[in-house]
Every structure is written in structure tokens, then in C-alpha cells.
Amino acid sequence: MKRPCVWKMLMAAMCVALLSGLQAQDLPRQVSIILLGATGDLARKYLWQGLFHLYLEEVGKGHHFRFHGTALTSTEQGQEVIAKVLESLSCPGDMASGHCAELKAQFQQLSEYRQLKTPEDYVALSKDIEAQVEHEGLRETGRIFYLSVPPFAYVDIARNINSSCRPGPGAWLRVVLEKPFGHDLHSAQQLATELGSFFQEEEMYRVDHYLGKQVVAQILPFRDQNRAALDGLWNRHHVERVEIVMKETLDAEGRTSFYEEYGVIRDVLQNHLTEVLTLVAMELPVNVSSPESVLQHKLQAFQALRSLQRHSAVLGQYQAYSGQVRRELQKPDSFHSLTPTFAGILVHIDNLRWEGVPFILMSGKALDERVSYVRILFKNQAFCVQSEKHWVAAQSHCLPRQIIFYIGHGELGSPAVLVSRNLFQPALPSASWKEVEGRPGLHLFGLPLSDYYAYSPVREQDAYSLLISHIFHCRKDSFVTTENLLASWVFWTPLLDSLAHEVPRFYPGGAENGQLLDFEFSGGHLSFSQPLPEQLVPGPDSAPLPSDFQVLRAKYRESPLISAWPEELIARLAGDIEAAAVRAVRRFGKFHLALSGGSSPVALFQQLATGHYSFPWAHTHLWLVDERCVPLWDPESNFQGLQTHLLQHVRVPHYNVHPMPVHRRQRLCAEEDQGAQAYAEEISALVTNGSFDLVLLGMGTDGHTASLFPQSPAGLDGEQLVVLTTSPSSPHRRMSLSLPLINRARKVAVLVMGRMKREIAMLVSRVGRDPKKWPISGVLPDSGQLVWYMDYDAFLG
């Protein structure tokens, strides 16, 4: 049965709904911007000015704005502060004063202050925005919440925004967050998870203000606009090195509370300089205007970064720092901080474009100048026959060839892009970049300014103004995504952990630093150029510091002990191994070296690979002390670690490398495959009397060594040379040299590192020979030498 009345009513309702929707689409659009922490330093110095610039850019383009300054400060006090800030706002220099005054008055009318403290305050704010939008006949397009507050407040604020202050259907939400985003990988993951429970990824904008610096923001466009010239140059064949630098003359006075928690690496290198690194190193997307493509390529650059090791860094601390900390944080007179205020880091990227190219990141406080830059120095294969006085100025191929993204300050005094004239003439957008005027007598990076094509912004713009504009226009590539943030912490956290107890080099500050902080690199190793004089006894009137002691020689379990800070200890052990190798080759024509796996010897392997070019690798046989029962290509394989950190960097004949046969007949450590017997036979055939020239061991926190574990009888005595054992930790099955075979060695070196080993080191120093309980206690060569190499953390705690 037909119901014409019902159909007419339904059609009428649909028409009304459609008409209402169309009318809503025609309504003027409003964006509400809520600045939390509106009375704080960052807001007063930069954010209100950035919001005003956004208003100047967008006024008359179809959007209405409301600016809500909020804080915990009382309403009356907050209104006073905001009134002063709004009065101090400035317009671009080329804007007429009358027009500026008019727009400034409008902005002041659209800005308000309110206290935002309780959940009820958020509900009231949302209702007031909705009421104002309805009253003025507008349509709400979206809300921007800018959190200029400490990170500990993020989660509570996020909860309140999500529960009661989101805009209605059809409107977007953008939440802006300021660093620091965690202290290490774990804390960053925890914060990201908590924020992710309230906001979608596309709603979050993590600010790294360096990405708003005009020159930094120009790196990708510059690479894109000069593809033709750079395609053949931007790679390992032509780039000698890349320097990314931020130097400051100011010290940390007044900020030591923050600095003690973060230090220079977390404050500057993990974020600002790493972000710049990815912009230089990433593969260039086909479309650099696509935020998604840019962010994906940045993530790929993060993933190609080679892991940092302890020797990838040099650290410094200006001499007055500990005194400032004692005063500001009420520390006792005996307190000495280990927080670095200066750091140089050597980074390598493991991909075809950048393999072997050193990227040097450096930042510090109390240095000789304030300047920030990225310098790409190109290799120069030219040889000029005529003397330098006959070279054509700026054109000679023998002059340095470099591109400098001059971020700011320094002798030039303003941001600029510089390209050596003997390289190519760059293309930059003429509407926003202009040629730098000549400055006779000014030299930059070894060349007069006239030797560069030099360009600076037509109008200098503050970083926060640019970023606030990008937030409004949804330019996500100018911000740090969760994925890229965690990738950065994955890269930096292991280094930070390894440096936690490192004593920085002290420097006086300013021009007096001289060459004290100069550093150099060899392979993957970074070190200060100027050694400090060794000091056996602290000077008068000074409390002894860890740096006052260099290498300590003593006895441990009746055998020689060498103890030092990790870097010196590894260097000493590497030197001793090389000396043993040279002696063995001179005497027997070959050197049999058995190496343990795990994390402790990684730094040793890298030291041997990069700092010992006289090592007789061609005559060296490499054996494994133990192996996990996993395929040799598995990341947990000891052989894989040896391959990664040593074998691929040195020239050992492949037939001199002897991995343990844990993987036979497509099975792992099966008794019937007789892998242990096969390895024992190989040792007996090649190693005279089964006596290795040197065996490197470690010591576990339970007293195990090699893969010989407490309460496990296998391998502790008897005739077997190689045994299968069971580990309490995964992977449980292991293959190991036996204790009797280890004790046949001419020399056994036991490497013990890290504060986690302090307790077992103390315990083992007091026990007798009881290998069933403490396998390490059974190590005592029959006729060879046992030497303990123990860092100060393990030996002294």
C-alpha cells in the first residue's frame, strides 16, 4: 500500500537537511587557536608573534580567527601579561605603519586570556567557542592547541582536550607539542603511546624549531631546484665529508636543572642536528612538496644510520659548569657533574650513496662564537700546475669546493646559502632569495665571500612564524612524526647509555679553549687531537676526579690486572693483541686468535679494524671461543657480530676464518651431526698442540665464561676440546671451547666491562678455584699467561 504523505514528508526532510548543509558550507569559516602556557617565556618571545604573523598572512583569505591564551596563571595576572605581549607585537618592515596599527588592533580584539586548569575549564572553553561561532554566524573549521608547557603536563592536557574540547563533526583538530619528547627510547615510547591513546597521528605536530629556520627549510627545495647539477655530486664519490654544527657562546647558567637531565646530546644533537642530517642525507623524493613522501624518505635515512659506538663521540664540559650546578641545585662542594656541555659525534650512513662519508655533528656551550651551519665539502681531484698566485680568483679548480647552508649568526650575521663559484651557479627562487651584497675582507671557511654564489632571504622570518603557518596549512613534513621520533631515539639511546659515566674533557670556555676541543677521526673512531697530560696524582687543592687516573696496573686473582676507562682499556687490549700477533708471526709464521662473542668485545673489534693497520691479518687464523646454536647469518650469531664489526673491514684470507659448525645438515647443534668433534679435529689439525696464541674471554654476571655455565658439567674438565652446552638464557643451546682447551693457550685475556659486572668481579676476586660454581675461576693457563682487562666501572664501581 502506497503512502504518498510519508514519501512527501521524507523528501521534504531530505531537502531541508541538504539545504542546511549547503548553507553551512557557505558560512564563513573560523579557526580557534588555543595557546597553553601563553604567559611563559617561549610564548612571550616567539609564539604570540608567530600567531600575529599567521593572522597577517591569512586575513582576508576566507578564515576568521580567535586566539585564546591560556595558562595556570590567574585571570587577572594573565590578562596583564598578555596585554603587554600584544602591545609589543611587530609587523614586517615593509608594511605601512597605519596598516600595521589597524591589523594589530584587530588581532588584539580577537585575542583573550583565560585560566585553563581543571577539566571543567576545558568544558567551559569548548562551550564558549561553540557559542561564539554560532552567535557570529560562522562555521568552525578546526582548532589548534599549542602546548607550550613542560612534557610532564602533556598527558593530562591531552586527556582533557580529547574528552571535552574536541571540535564538532567536520572540523579538524591539531595539537602542537614542544620538545623534549622523552629522555631515551623507553620514555619516548611511553609518551608516544600515551598521546596516541588520545590523538590520531595526523592530529599531532611535534615541533623542532630548527625545521622552521629559513635555511634549514630551504635544504630540500635547494636540492630539488638544482637536481641537474647535484645528481652527479651528491654522493660518496664526490663528497669528502659533511659538517653539521651549532656553536653557542652562552653557558648553561640559569638552566642547569634542565641541562643536568638532558645534556648537549639530548638538547641539540638528538633532535636539531639529526633532523638536519636527514634532510641532507635522505634520497630526494620525486615530489618534495608531498609531506608523505618527504617523511617516508626521512625515515629511510634514519634506518640507514650506522649504530653509534662509544668511540663515535668526544665529550667536553666547560670548567665553571659543576660550580653552577652546585649553586643552582644546592649540591655539596664535593659534587662533580659528568654532564657534557660539548659533543662531537661521527656518524656514518650505510647505503650506496653515502658509504664511507663521515658526517660530523658538533655542538657546545661556552665556545668561541655563536654560529650554526651545514657544510658539504667536496673532494678535489684537481692538480694545478701553476702557483697559487696565478690561479683565477673564485674559478680555480684547486680551490675548495663546498656548499654551505649558513643557518645563522657568525661573521655573516644572517641566514644564507653559499655555493663555491668553481662548483656551479645555483638556482633559488628570486621572489624569496636575493644575492648577498659584497663584504670585502670577509672570509668564510677558507674563502673570501666573493668566491661564493651567496644568497640570503629577501625577508628574514622567525622559525616559529614559519612553523605556525605550516601547522595551519597542514604541512606535516616540517614536524617530527612518532615513527621518525622513535627511529631517532633508537639511534641515539645506545650511545647515551654507553656515555652515562664517561668523564668529559674540561675546557675553560670562549677564546681560551684554543685547540683543546679540536678532534679528528680515523675510520669510525673519533678522538681529541690534543692529548691531555697524564696525571698520576691530583693537583693540590683539588678533589680527585675520575679523569685524574689513566691506566691502573695491579693484581687480580694472583694474575696481572690492567684497569682503565673503557676507551683507554680497549686501546690497550688492542695494542697487546697486535703485539702478540706480531711476535707469533715472527716466530711461527702464523697467529691463532680465539675470540668470544657478545657485546663487550664489539668496541675491541672496531678498534682492531680501524686503528691497527700493521696487524698481520694475512697470517692470522680467527677462531670462535663459543657460538649460539643459530644460523651463522642470524643477528644473534657470534660469527655474525665478528663479521659485521671486524671481518668485513680487514683482509683475513677466508680460509683462515674458522666459524663453529653449529649448522650442519640443515640442523642446529644436533649431537648426531658431531659438529663439536669436527671443530675439535680442525683445531688439532691446524693449531700446534691445540695451544692458541691468544684466547679472548669475557665474564658473565653469573660467573660464566665462553659458553661454560655454572652447575653445568659439560666442558669444565675431561678430554673433550669442544662441547655442546646449555645456557640459562635464550638461545639455550651453545657450542664452546672446553676449559682444558682454553687453559692450553699461550695467553688468555679476560675482558670485563660495565658497572653491571662490579658485583661478580668482587665475588670472583675472593673465591678459590671452583669452576662448577664459577666457571671463570677455572681459567688458569697451564704454561701460559692470564691477564685481566677490567674497566673502572667493573673494578671500582
Side-chain angles (χ1 to χ4, degrees):
M1 180 178 176
K2 293 183 179 180
R3 299 176 182 270
C5 294
V6 173
W7 279 105
K8 286 179 182 177
M9 290 170 64
L10 182 59
M11 290 298 294
M14 289 175 63
C15 289
V16 169
L18 180 62
L19 183 61
S20 299
L22 291 172
Q23 288 174 338
Q25 291 294 323
D26 291 337
L27 292 175
R29 297 168 294 172
Q30 170 160 305
V31 173
S32 300
I33 300 179
I34 301 95
L35 175 56
L36 292 91
T39 59
D41 282 347
L42 181 65
R44 287 185 284 114
K45 288 179 182 176
Y46 300 109
L47 300 183
W48 280 108
Q49 184 66 53
L51 294 174
F52 182 46
H53 277 192
L54 174 68
Y55 180 71
L56 296 180
E57 281 182 3
E58 299 299 326
V59 66
K61 293 183 181 178
H63 278 97
H64 290 241
F65 290 91
R66 282 282 178 169
F67 303 92
H68 304 269
T70 72
L72 301 179
T73 310
S74 67
T75 302
E76 185 178 346
Q77 189 179 351
Q79 286 173 341
E80 260 182 56
V81 173
I82 298 306
K84 290 178 183 176
V85 173
L86 296 179
E87 194 55 45
S88 67
L89 299 176
S90 60
C91 298
D94 56 358
M95 181 178 287
S97 58
H99 188 44
C100 173
E102 180 185 349
L103 292 174
K104 188 172 169 181
Q106 291 175 12
F107 182 78
Q108 290 170 335
Q109 285 292 319
L110 295 171
S111 303
E112 63 152 25
Y113 174 82
R114 65 165 63 211
Q115 188 179 50
L116 197 61
K117 195 171 184 179
T118 66
E120 292 74 23
D121 292 336
Y122 286 84
V123 173
L125 171 63
S126 189
K127 286 182 177 178
D128 287 351
I129 291 173
E130 291 165 3
Q132 177 259 321
V133 166
E134 185 178 351
H135 176 73
E136 296 183 13
L138 305 173
R139 173 172 62 89
E140 187 172 19
T141 301
R143 295 179 189 178
I144 296 173
F145 286 85
Y146 199 122
L147 276 59
S148 179
V149 298
F152 66 76
Y154 283 172
V155 174
D156 284 341
I157 292 172
R159 184 180 294 108
N160 285 320
I161 293 172
N162 183 60
S163 64
S164 55
C165 222
R166 279 183 171 273
W172 46 255
L173 171 69
R174 291 171 197 156
V175 179
V176 188
L177 306 157
E178 281 283 345
K179 80 174 186 75
F181 310 117
H183 185 265
D184 54 18
L185 177 60
H186 175 72
S187 58
Q189 286 173 324
Q190 186 176 17
L191 181 59
T193 300
E194 289 174 323
L195 291 173
S197 67
F198 301 115
F199 306 127
Q200 299 296 317
E201 178 65 31
E202 61 269 17
E203 293 176 329
M204 289 186 283
Y205 289 70
R206 292 183 185 85
V207 169
D208 185 324
H209 82 272
Y210 243 59
L211 293 175
K213 299 277 187 183
Q214 283 176 287
V215 167
V216 174
Q218 186 60 30
I219 292 175
L220 283 187
F222 176 88
R223 291 180 59 190
D224 183 47
Q225 291 152 14
N226 295 279
R227 278 182 194 259
L230 290 175
D231 271 351
L233 291 172
W234 210 259
N235 57 60
R236 60 191 168 98
H237 301 298
H238 295 278
V239 175
E240 180 178 317
R241 70 188 193 193
V242 178
E243 301 167 4
I244 305 174
V245 170
M246 176 182 166
K247 296 169 66 177
E248 297 182 86
T249 53
L250 292 176
D251 61 21
E253 189 169 16
R255 294 185 68 226
T256 58
S257 176
F258 170 84
Y259 226 74
E260 269 299 276
E261 186 176 357
Y262 289 93
V264 67
I265 295 179
R266 291 180 174 90
D267 186 35
V268 177
L269 282 85
Q270 178 272 327
N271 37 69
H272 303 329
L273 301 195
T274 305
E275 286 293 327
V276 174
L277 167 67
T278 61
L279 295 175
V280 173
M282 64 185 270
E283 293 299 310
L284 201 58
V286 174
N287 179 11
V288 297
S289 299
S290 164
E292 295 79 12
S293 294
V294 170
L295 291 170
Q296 188 58 39
H297 283 72
K298 281 179 73 172
L299 181 61
Q300 291 168 4
F302 272 120
Q303 293 167 341
L305 295 175
R306 184 185 302 172
S307 298
L308 294 171
Q309 306 298 329
R310 164 62 197 90
H311 59 240
S312 304
V314 291
L315 304 179
Q317 182 192 100
Y318 64 84
Q319 288 174 342
Y321 177 77
S322 282
Q324 292 171 344
V325 174
R326 288 193 292 269
R327 285 194 303 274
E328 294 180 19
L329 304 183
Q330 288 81 52
K331 298 285 186 181
D333 291 343
S334 59
F335 175 81
H336 292 277
S337 173
L338 295 180
T339 301
T341 61
F342 166 88
I345 308 290
L346 178 61
V347 177
H348 282 95
I349 300 173
D350 288 331
N351 60 25
L352 286 175
R353 182 180 295 278
W354 296 113
E355 183 182 3
V357 177
F359 284 71
I360 300 165
L361 279 58
M362 188 272 279
S363 184
K365 289 188 170 292
L367 300 181
D368 62 311
E369 64 173 337
R370 183 186 184 193
V371 67
S372 302
Y373 61 84
V374 183
R375 181 190 185 206
I376 298 97
L377 181 64
F378 292 88
K379 297 175 182 177
N380 199 335
Q381 284 86 19
F383 179 86
C384 295
V385 175
Q386 286 188 296
S387 63
E388 188 174 341
K389 63 185 178 182
H390 295 300
W391 293 355
V392 179
Q395 298 299 322
S396 172
H397 294 294
C398 287
L399 289 168
R401 304 189 308 157
Q402 48 199 343
I403 295 174
I404 294 122
F405 296 101
Y406 203 88
I407 299 170
H409 306 292
E411 291 188 75
L412 193 56
S414 61
V417 177
L418 311 173
V419 179
S420 296
R421 288 184 180 271
N422 61 356
L423 204 54
F424 66 89
Q425 183 169 2
L428 283 95
S430 57
S432 52
W433 292 82
K434 62 181 181 181
E435 286 198 56
V436 175
E437 295 179 5
R439 301 264 296 273
L442 177 59
H443 282 66
L444 296 169
F445 305 98
L447 296 174
L449 183 60
S450 58
D451 278 10
Y452 296 100
Y453 294 108
Y455 299 86
S456 63
V458 172
R459 177 194 291 175
E460 287 191 36
Q461 189 175 11
D462 170 69
Y464 281 99
S465 297
L466 183 68
L467 291 174
I468 287 171
S469 175
H470 285 187
I471 294 164
F472 178 74
H473 290 289
C474 201
R475 284 280 306 276
K476 286 282 286 184
D477 51 319
S478 296
F479 301 88
V480 182
T481 64
T482 300
E483 205 169 18
N484 285 354
L485 171 69
L486 296 182
S488 178
W489 278 119
V490 165
F491 177 64
W492 284 103
T493 297
L495 177 70
L496 288 163
D497 289 344
S498 72
L499 297 175
H501 304 293
E502 190 71 20
V503 179
R505 170 172 289 199
F506 297 108
Y507 58 96
E512 293 181 26
N513 293 335
Q515 297 177 320
L516 195 60
L517 295 177
D518 292 353
F519 55 86
E520 55 195 52
F521 54 89
S522 174
H525 193 283
L526 205 62
S527 60
F528 284 114
S529 303
Q530 187 179 89
L532 287 176
E534 288 196 12
Q535 188 178 3
L536 298 179
V537 181
D541 302 321
S542 65
L545 298 173
S547 58
D548 293 326
F549 307 98
Q550 299 298 321
V551 177
L552 175 68
R553 295 171 182 83
K555 289 279 187 180
Y556 181 82
R557 290 184 59 83
E558 306 302 321
S559 295
L561 166 71
I562 295 171
S563 190
W565 293 108
E567 186 174 349
E568 288 83 7
L569 186 69
I570 291 297
R572 173 61 185 269
L573 177 53
D576 288 352
I577 293 174
E578 181 176 3
V582 170
R583 284 195 303 270
V585 170
R586 190 180 297 131
R587 187 175 177 188
F588 306 111
K590 53 195 169 187
F591 176 57
H592 288 281
L593 174 62
L595 296 169
S596 289
S599 58
S600 291
V602 167
L604 173 66
F605 296 163
Q606 293 170 334
Q607 172 77 11
L608 288 170
T610 60
H612 291 263
Y613 299 107
S614 299
F615 200 104
W617 293 114
H619 303 283
T620 297
H621 286 257
L622 290 174
W623 304 82
L624 286 179
V625 168
D626 64 331
E627 181 59 281
R628 297 172 169 93
C629 292
V630 296
L632 295 184
W633 59 84
D634 191 288
E636 291 194 328
S637 163
N638 288 342
F639 178 77
Q640 183 62 33
L642 185 65
Q643 168 72 17
T644 300
H645 300 293
L646 179 62
L647 293 180
Q648 68 178 357
H649 305 291
V650 297
R651 296 183 180 227
V652 180
H654 68 88
Y655 45 80
N656 283 5
V657 179
H658 309 279
M660 281 186 158
V662 294
H663 196 186
R664 306 186 90 195
R665 301 185 181 94
Q666 299 184 332
R667 294 184 293 197
L668 292 169
C669 293
E671 294 273 3
E672 55 269 31
D673 292 336
Q674 298 188 324
Q677 292 91 321
Y679 204 55
E681 290 169 6
E682 189 177 5
I683 292 169
S684 298
L686 296 175
V687 183
T688 305
N689 299 322
S691 297
F692 292 105
D693 295 298
L694 193 148
V695 174
L696 175 70
L697 300 176
M699 178 170 68
T701 54
D702 59 354
H704 84 265
T705 191
S707 280
L708 305 173
F709 297 94
Q711 311 305 331
S712 174
L716 297 179
D717 50 27
E719 298 297 319
Q720 281 186 282
L721 302 183
V722 184
V723 295
L724 293 176
T725 67
T726 302
S727 165
S729 58
S730 179
H732 299 292
R733 292 289 281 164
R734 308 288 176 94
M735 186 179 290
S736 177
L737 302 187
S738 69
L739 197 55
L741 178 60
I742 290 170
N743 283 334
R744 290 187 195 177
R746 291 186 174 88
K747 179 175 180 177
V748 176
V750 183
L751 178 62
V752 185
M753 298 180 69
R755 188 162 291 190
M756 288 176 60
K757 303 291 178 68
R758 171 64 182 140
E759 188 174 337
I760 189 65
M762 287 182 63
L763 186 61
V764 169
S765 71
R766 297 192 296 263
V767 302
R769 191 179 190 279
D770 188 0
K772 289 189 177 179
K773 195 169 185 181
W774 320 104
I776 189 68
S777 71
V779 176
L780 188 61
D782 303 327
S783 57
Q785 182 189 30
L786 171 62
V787 181
W788 296 82
Y789 294 81
M790 201 173 295
D791 73 357
Y792 285 147
D793 279 340
F795 183 53
L796 301 174

